[in-house]
Amino acid sequence: ILTAHRKDPRRLVQILRAAQSEAGWISPEIAAFLADELCMPISRIHAVVQFYAFLYDRPVGRYRVLFSDNIIDRMLGSVALRQHMQRRMKVGRGAVSADGLVSIDTTSCTGMGDQGPALMINNRQIVRLTTRRIDEICDLMRDGAPLEDWPSHYFTISDRIRRAESLLGTSYVPGKALAQAIELGPQGVLDDLRRSNLRGRGGAGFTTAMKWELCAEAEAETRYIICNADEGEPGTFKDRVLLNSFAERIFEGMAIGGYAIGARHGVIYLRGEYDYLRAPLEMKLAAMRQRGLLGTNVLGVPGFDFDIEIQMGAGAYICGEETALIESLEGKPGRPRIRPPFPVTRGYNDMPSVVNNVETLCKVVEVMRIGGRAYALLGTKQSTGSKLISVSGDVARPGVYEYPFGVRIQTVLDDCGATDVAAVQISGAGGMTLAPHEFGRRIAFEDVPTSGAFMVFNRSRDMFEVARNFMHFFAHESCGFCTPCRVGCALSASIMDKIAAGLGAQYELNELTRLGAVMRTSSHCGLGQTAGNAVADTLQKFRPDYERRLMAGDFAPAFDLDAALERARQVTSREDAQAHLEGVA
Ligand code: SF4
């Protein structure tokens, strides 16, 4: 493993993943060996292992089961299915069975919201779970059957493309867009991209041409094009479809970027949950090399060398943030960097780097195909082109829908067969919660921006529980770097639990609002800044879902204060009335 990774400490995450897939977990012996071989303190190994959810510093079951805990999976019955499996396998949540055969736990979201409930087992995804399938899986695990021998249809994941426009609906000729780029020349590509006004599809909407220009202008011998394939936003799965069925466009978009900014190296950072896509992607990369679309002298152009490698994530949502992603690529815990410097001047390996979303790179191919001016005519003035939307929840037809920017929320709801809708959560857990009076709004950067998640909740749903699930998601995924987010998310989640337990009062609602404001204004990165959005939106628009849980009084403790003092009484040998709360005057 070390040889394959050139004993490069910057590949620590990849090395640990490979070591774990051999040994099952990162034992103290493995950690010490790696620290020695890679000449780094063992504390760094521990820090990395403890940061990533899919790296383990303690033994896990030979079958490692992780149920997707996204709110949509929950709505589809994932909690009952997990408990059923736990009963059958006689193992608690987060524990390993006594015989070491199986461990069962949850993970935030596996990117299968259109075909849940879903689980991962030893990095393989299984979707459309039912009680019957859980029983079959239990039997297979008890028999010790290797995953390769399990029925192949268990692992079948559909694209579910429901509506296609300029990206999903047009044919593609490999190399044509790249040839067009070469004809334009590097500056011509940047000019055409600027004319298209293409904006990043990851959510922030930064102009792609400006990003590329800044990187091209930075003084350096080496530059990188990085594809952010770490879509971890709950309710998002459209990049999964692009990676599965449109991968060549992603590669070609990266090659065009490499040509325009003078980069020879491309890296795809693929989320750990999409491990099953890695082998097919590698095969498609090899085919691209054979066609002369990657490698040396690409398309016969002397000196145009560009190739792509895939690096895997390991279960950390925050690595979707571009500087956290770069930290992860460099073998560190994925904590967002302080900016400036920005990645376009000092990114991966301290070199100028462009980080683009999967969908954005596909769009680059489209711009080259039809030209920047024609592209700018699609969509709206500030949001050109089309947008892929991942639709899930209470709809008749979940899946991926492509629309020109500017589409109304109601149009999407009509198309996916949603009825009696109470709310739509746009752009994942940190996005906007829209109520019916807002369904006339448009998906566009100038109105409702989105990275692509579109979760639908009908009137039978409890929006308090939706917001509670999102707050637990953020409490789990906060990287812990800054206090407002680390403490704010954890406190907010525990306040939501207190309200759920019927112990909340008006005081708790005020606290949630206050904490949300602190997180929004003081957190270091977008995760903390947006973590309180769903609570704020649902408090305002679905307040009865909170208020019907509140007690009449102003405040109630979430636990028994007197009982909590028992240990102190023992230590001080006191049992008199004054040592009890009710004894205090
Ligand atoms: Fe980490 Fe949260 Fe701070 Fe972002 S806001 S750096 S996720 S602790």
Side-chain angles (χ1 to χ4, degrees), residues 163-327:
R163 192 179 191 284
E165 283 272 340
S166 54
L167 197 168
L168 302 178
T170 46
S171 57
Y172 162 75
V173 180
K176 200 169 170 192
L178 185 55
Q180 174 65 18
I182 290 166
E183 207 176 308
L184 291 172
Q187 189 55 50
V189 172
L190 295 173
D191 292 342
D192 212 25
L193 215 50
R194 199 177 325 106
R195 279 191 288 271
S196 75
N197 195 23
L198 173 64
R199 296 173 68 172
R201 298 305 202 252
F206 200 76
T207 313
T208 306
M210 192 184 293
K211 212 180 224 189
W212 287 20
E213 279 165 355
L214 288 169
C215 190
E217 285 164 8
E219 286 288 325
E221 283 181 8
T222 306
R223 295 183 179 79
Y224 294 98
I225 294 277
I226 298 167
C227 169
N228 183 347
D230 193 48
E231 72 168 348
E233 200 65 73
T236 316
F237 42 81
K238 46 99 185 166
D239 287 352
R240 182 198 83 213
V241 173
L242 293 175
L243 289 157
N244 187 47
S245 299
F246 297 81
E248 290 83 357
R249 299 187 206 203
I250 304 167
F251 305 153
E252 193 163 340
M254 293 176 75
I256 292 167
Y259 177 73
I261 69 164
R264 290 163 172 251
H265 308 284
V267 185
I268 295 176
Y269 185 85
L270 183 64
R271 72 182 299 216
E273 289 82 348
Y274 293 169
D275 193 70
Y276 73 99
L277 288 171
R278 183 181 186 152
L281 284 170
E282 294 282 12
M283 281 171 57
K284 288 171 190 169
L285 277 173
M288 292 284 277
R289 286 184 198 108
Q290 276 195 337
R291 282 191 176 135
L293 297 171
L294 291 173
T296 49
N297 300 331
V298 173
L299 279 182
V301 178
F304 175 24
D305 302 342
F306 185 79
D307 213 332
I308 296 170
E309 68 159 323
I310 298 171
Q311 291 206 34
M312 298 300 301
Y317 163 75
I318 188 60
C319 290
E321 197 277 346
E322 63 178 5
T323 60
L325 185 156
I326 290 168
E327 288 283 292

Side-chain angles (χ1 to χ4, degrees), residues 318 336 477-482 485-486 523-529:
I318 188 60
E477 297 295 342
S478 167
C479 81
F481 171 80
C482 64
C485 170
R486 184 184 65 249
S523 294
H524 172 56
C525 83
L527 186 151
Q529 289 157 12

Side-chain angles (χ1 to χ4, degrees), residues 508-579:
E508 271 71 34
L509 301 193
N510 297 344
E511 275 300 279
L512 284 173
T513 305
R514 193 180 65 84
L515 283 167
V518 171
M519 289 193 284
R520 186 167 55 255
T521 53
S522 320
S523 294
H524 172 56
C525 83
L527 186 151
Q529 289 157 12
T530 60
N533 284 357
V535 168
D537 272 357
T538 49
L539 256 175
Q540 188 201 341
K541 299 171 192 172
F542 301 92
R543 202 169 181 89
D545 284 354
Y546 287 76
E547 288 181 337
R548 67 186 161 78
R549 293 179 157 87
L550 299 187
M551 343 176 11
D554 283 343
F555 178 79
F559 62 102
D560 185 342
L561 282 173
D562 194 61
L565 290 170
E566 180 56 29
R567 179 75 188 129
R569 283 191 291 271
Q570 286 172 8
V571 170
T572 53
S573 302
R574 297 235 352 229
E575 233 346 295
D576 55 286
Q578 288 292 314

